[in-house]
Amino acid sequence: MSVQTTMQAAARGRWAVAGIFLANGFLTGSWAPQIPVFLTRLDITRFTLGLLILLFGVGAVIAMTWCGHLISRHGSRSVTRWFGVCGSFGLLIVALAPNVPLAAIAMLVFGGSIGGMDVAMNSNAVVVERRLSRAIMSSSHGFWSLGGFAGGALGGFSIQNCGYLAHAVAVTVIAFAIIAFAIRYLIAEGRPQAVEHRKFTLPRHMAVYLVGLMALLTMISEGAVLDWAALFLNQELGADLAVAGLAYAAFSGVMALMRFLGDGVRNRFGAVSTLRGSALAAAAGMLVAGLSPSPYLAIAAFAFCGFGIANMVPIIFSAGGNQEGMSSGTGMSVVTTMGYSGILVAPSAIGFVAEQSSFGPIFVALSGLLVVVLLMAGLAHRAEFAPEPIPAE
């Protein structure tokens, strides 16, 4: 295969992996406006809802823990295909669940498919970066946020006018169509990486776990906006379902815009400086959201928080996928697993605290976690781009 043909395939692979990010974000964003309906449909408390969302995190973490091993054996392209097709049906399974026990199983499956898809697509994005010799991670996450924005913005309106089940069916059809088209053009790792780490083992390098801790703290905050912002606006600030759905939509929309600009910003100012500035902005936005007396100010504050968080996760994930002495799949598996552990731990804890008090103080406290990421930002130096030579065919 000629160099020109290989680069053309890599360029197609770049847009293919962007499509996978878009579909994953669309599925995740479409879940956010379903949450208030899920709460009332099953007639459960906030704490029970938190436990069900906890199962989403459990499923994600189980899948992510093994995903690095699967990628090392089969490659990120194959694993992305498997989890992508399964993930497209996740929201529909949850919407069809008629009671709490079946909803618990559905949330476990939904979380596992989305979580495995997340590790695989991020690992594939690292492969594309190396093949193209340029960064694409932030813009790939931009497509994820664009999908989240579309899912969140359209979801509340669709549910209110067409019903939650019709909404879930439409989301499934759209996501499956995007994934089915995109997986045809994904690119594969070079052969040496595909055979690394045949046995399931944990990395011994402490740096990757510290990077994972940054992902954990960042994604606790991101997950809190996904899972609880709509209820915060609906139940505590008096917004209707359509307006409440705009909280995550604004958060994701601003994230999408900033992530499309993020690769250029990171190349100009460096990964560490970009992460520091982003963490400061995110902390400020989360603080204002928690103190907000009106839904529209809260929406604006969540949008500003999205402005900050936008490039935090891409930089942290890129640092995880470029750790010395391990494959991108292994490093990415550790960092994403730890990151999604925030979604595992936070929902039930937030649900319990909110049951006793309110969501406002919780969002204020979350701003403090983002300040901790600001202080740890120096650990992201591995996110500086390192190209991969084109493998010989």
Side-chain angles (χ1 to χ4, degrees):
M1 184 182 295
S2 68
V3 172
Q4 182 179 2
T5 303
T6 301
M7 293 304 292
Q8 288 174 346
R12 289 193 297 269
R14 183 263 177 277
W15 294 110
V17 77
I20 301 297
F21 272 86
L22 178 71
N24 188 285
F26 182 64
L27 287 162
T28 305
S30 296
W31 159 239
Q34 284 266 353
I35 292 174
V37 178
F38 192 66
L39 181 75
T40 56
R41 180 170 67 86
L42 297 179
D43 192 24
I44 55 179
T45 66
R46 291 178 180 178
F47 181 66
T48 302
L49 175 61
L51 292 177
L52 288 172
I53 297 173
L54 171 69
L55 290 175
F56 180 99
V58 170
V61 169
I62 291 172
M64 288 175 165
T65 301
W66 281 96
C67 217
H69 175 65
L70 292 174
I71 291 169
S72 293
R73 287 182 62 90
H74 304 287
S76 61
R77 178 174 62 181
S78 295
V79 178
T80 301
R81 288 172 172 172
W82 300 338
F83 280 108
V85 171
C86 293
S88 63
F89 294 95
L91 183 65
L92 181 59
I93 294 171
V94 172
L96 289 171
N99 52 50
V100 172
L102 289 178
I105 296 171
M107 289 293 285
L108 192 69
V109 173
F110 187 27
S113 59
I114 291 295
M117 187 178 171
D118 196 289
V119 175
M121 71 189 187
N122 276 284
S123 297
N124 195 257
V126 171
V127 174
V128 174
E129 281 188 329
R130 293 173 176 171
R131 193 70 57 84
L132 290 176
S133 297
R134 61 184 175 88
I136 66 153
M137 186 65 80
S138 287
S139 56
S140 294
H141 280 258
F143 282 100
W144 187 92
S145 296
L146 185 63
F149 171 74
L154 298 175
F157 177 82
S158 299
I159 292 169
Q160 193 161 280
N161 290 277
C162 303
Y164 74 92
L165 191 56
H167 167 254
V169 171
V171 168
T172 301
V173 171
I174 293 170
F176 181 81
I178 294 171
I179 291 168
F181 180 77
I183 59 177
R184 299 165 57 195
Y185 300 102
L186 294 171
I187 66 171
E189 295 89 336
R191 290 190 181 93
Q193 184 175 347
V195 297
E196 286 181 347
H197 305 296
R198 290 190 176 274
K199 294 182 179 180
F200 176 71
T201 57
L202 292 173
R204 298 179 181 178
H205 302 280
M206 183 57 65
V208 73
Y209 297 105
L210 294 175
V211 173
L213 177 60
M214 290 197 294
L216 168 67
L217 299 179
T218 301
M219 294 183 73
I220 284 175
S221 300
E222 186 172 349
V225 179
L226 166 65
D227 291 328
W228 299 110
L231 277 179
F232 174 47
L233 267 66
N234 179 241
Q235 297 189 355
E236 296 184 12
L237 299 184
D240 61 28
L241 282 177
V243 173
L246 293 177
Y248 185 69
F251 179 81
S252 292
V254 173
M255 278 206 303
L257 176 62
M258 290 308 301
R259 282 174 170 174
F260 286 122
L261 300 173
D263 292 324
V265 172
R266 192 173 92 186
N267 288 336
R268 180 173 181 179
F269 297 104
V272 173
S273 295
T274 302
L275 181 58
R276 284 175 178 153
S278 297
L280 181 61
M286 191 72 80
L287 178 64
V288 173
L291 297 175
S292 174
S294 80
Y296 294 102
L297 177 59
I299 290 170
F302 282 127
F304 191 73
C305 184
F307 169 84
I309 285 182
N311 290 304
M312 293 173 67
V313 171
I315 290 171
I316 293 168
F317 279 13
S318 189
N322 283 294
Q323 290 295 305
E324 187 175 359
M326 66 187 72
S327 70
S328 63
T330 300
M332 193 68 69
S333 180
V334 171
V335 172
T336 52
T337 299
M338 291 185 67
Y340 270 86
S341 293
I343 298 177
L344 171 65
V345 174
S348 57
I350 290 174
F352 176 77
V353 174
E355 194 78 18
Q356 310 302 317
S357 58
S358 63
F359 286 114
I362 293 171
F363 287 117
V364 172
L366 291 174
S367 68
L369 300 185
L370 295 167
V371 172
V372 175
V373 178
L374 166 65
L375 299 176
M376 297 177 67
L379 296 168
H381 67 279
R382 295 292 304 180
E384 305 299 348
F385 176 63
E388 177 186 73
I390 298 172
E393 296 290 339

